[in-house]
Amino acid sequence: MSRTVYSALAKVFAIVLVVIGAAAIYGGNFAHGYVTDQLSQEKISMPTQEGIDGLSNEESKAALTPYIGQELTTGPQAKAFANHYIWEHMMAMSDGRTYEEVSGEYMAATKDSSVSADDLAAMGQLRQTMFMGDTLRGMLLSAYGWWLLGSIGIYAGIGAIIGGVILAILGWGVLRTKADETVKAATAA
């Protein structure tokens, strides 16, 4: 293929990449804005220093410390709150058991006539609390997932635009100049 063909292809792909890049950045920003709007409506506050100090896991303390007292509005905040605050509290109240384990124990206890009504009520309350914690964690982690997809879209868009600019420089500059020189040399001969 001649330089003229390469130049034309570079121009076409430059335009395509810039358009795709702009759309990806728009989509990424839309995802970030939508997640922020939805999380803001919930009016969730990140833990205070006292709340963080009450946690036993040092990794959780470190993950939450940058967000002390802030309003929860971003995907990274949602992930930290779900995995390091809600989860820690759930594990503390259930002695390290998951919702599924607590629920299974509760269901078995409902069939056991030797379990007192008070114990059954306490198990039912723990089961319900664990369910609510899991539900909130799931919603927050979904918000984080959409935030992450938005971030990937933004970075991919930036990469596509950079690629498009490089191809534009090649198509309208380097390759075109070389093609013009080739045509001039052929015409002069």
Side-chain angles (χ1 to χ4, degrees):
M1 280 205 248
S2 70
R3 287 186 187 264
T4 305
V5 173
Y6 285 133
S7 175
L9 286 173
K11 291 175 187 176
V12 169
F13 283 112
I15 293 168
V16 169
L17 283 175
V18 168
V19 169
I20 288 171
I25 290 171
Y26 174 81
N29 284 323
F30 177 83
H32 281 191
Y34 192 80
V35 167
T36 294
D37 289 346
Q38 296 303 306
L39 290 174
S40 294
Q41 291 175 11
E42 296 302 320
K43 299 188 184 327
I44 299 171
S45 294
M46 295 299 285
T48 61
Q49 184 64 54
E50 296 80 40
I52 292 171
D53 289 342
L55 300 173
S56 59
N57 185 316
E58 292 302 318
E59 180 184 342
S60 292
K61 289 178 181 182
L64 292 165
T65 297
Y67 307 117
I68 292 174
Q70 296 176 7
E71 182 182 0
L72 193 155
T73 59
T74 69
Q77 288 174 320
K79 179 184 177 193
F81 193 80
N83 286 340
H84 299 287
Y85 195 71
I86 294 172
W87 182 253
E88 288 292 324
H89 281 87
M90 289 173 58
M91 291 297 100
M93 74 175 63
S94 69
D95 296 323
R97 295 171 295 164
T98 65
Y99 164 74
E100 188 64 29
E101 292 167 323
V102 169
S103 182
E105 291 169 10
Y106 172 78
M107 295 306 290
T110 61
K111 298 173 184 156
D112 185 351
S113 60
S114 68
V115 177
S116 72
D118 288 342
D119 287 345
L120 192 59
M123 291 175 76
Q125 181 61 43
L126 177 61
R127 176 181 180 231
Q128 182 175 349
T129 301
M130 294 291 288
F131 179 78
M132 291 187 312
D134 263 355
T135 301
L136 181 54
R137 279 189 75 235
M139 287 185 246
L140 290 173
L141 291 173
S142 290
Y144 169 70
W146 284 108
W147 184 276
L148 182 60
L149 286 176
S151 296
I152 291 168
I154 290 169
Y155 293 127
I158 291 169
I161 288 174
I162 290 170
V165 168
I166 290 169
L167 286 176
I169 291 168
L170 291 172
W172 276 284
V174 176
L175 291 176
R176 186 67 188 160
T177 303
K178 296 283 186 185
D180 289 344
E181 288 173 7
T182 304
V183 170
K184 285 180 187 175
T187 308

